Amino acid sequence: MDFSADSSYLQVSTGSYKRQVYEVPSGKQLVDQAVIDRITWATWTSVLGDEVIGIWSRHAEKADVNCACVSHSGINLVTGDDFGMVKLFDFPCPEKFVRTYFCMVTATSTVDIRILSCFSGGHKMEIFSSVNL
């Protein structure tokens, strides 16, 4: 769940793999894609949307990528998946099958991930990863 920078909108990813955007506080669903495209998000933790198409590999299924997080600077995106892979991308990554800058393997599937801090243009990054044991 993410709020827009002005707290006027909320985005969620559903269990049926749909990205939905709502107005705050009315709760009215926003369906006008042109309006959605103009929203600046304060955070981004969704694996869905035009901004993150590139995180999906050629053979990935919808349930394979579990979590995502954009850095506070808005230029890096880290993802976690069912295979224990933690991957770093540029953000946004609207092109299919983009290059991964960094890949790390954890013990098991990654269920949640956050970028804690990022220094010197992304040369040092601290990442928190929550895994299934």
Side-chain angles (χ1 to χ4, degrees):
M1 176 171 52
D2 301 295
F3 281 94
S4 62
D6 64 1
S7 299
S8 297
Y9 301 98
L10 170 78
Q11 80 170 346
V12 296
S13 300
T14 70
S16 58
Y17 303 99
K18 292 184 176 28
R19 175 184 173 203
Q20 295 179 336
V21 178
Y22 296 92
E23 293 178 352
V24 174
S26 72
K28 179 183 173 197
Q29 186 174 357
L30 192 62
V31 293
D32 185 347
Q33 191 60 47
V35 173
I36 293 170
D37 290 342
R38 289 192 303 269
I39 297 171
T40 300
W41 296 99
T43 60
W44 188 285
T45 58
S46 179
V47 297
L48 305 173
D50 293 339
E51 297 85 345
V52 293
I53 288 173
I55 69 173
W56 299 93
S57 68
R58 293 185 195 284
H59 307 291
E61 296 180 12
K62 288 182 180 178
D64 287 347
V65 180
N66 300 322
C67 51
C69 183
V70 171
S71 64
H72 296 290
S73 63
I75 61 172
N76 300 110
L77 170 73
V78 65
T79 64
D81 65 28
D82 276 351
F83 310 105
M85 305 293 272
V86 174
K87 298 177 183 176
L88 177 66
F89 300 90
D90 283 333
F91 184 81
C93 53
E95 304 293 324
K96 288 185 176 182
F97 319 124
V98 297
R99 182 178 76 144
T100 303
Y101 287 103
F102 172 78
C103 188
M104 172 180 86
V105 180
T106 61
T108 184
S109 71
T110 305
V111 295
D112 197 14
I113 199 158
R114 293 292 179 266
I115 297 176
L116 301 178
S117 60
C118 188
F119 306 100
S120 303
H123 295 292
K124 180 180 178 190
M125 184 172 289
E126 295 175 338
I127 298 171
F128 172 78
S129 174
S130 175
V131 297
N132 280 334
L133 298 177

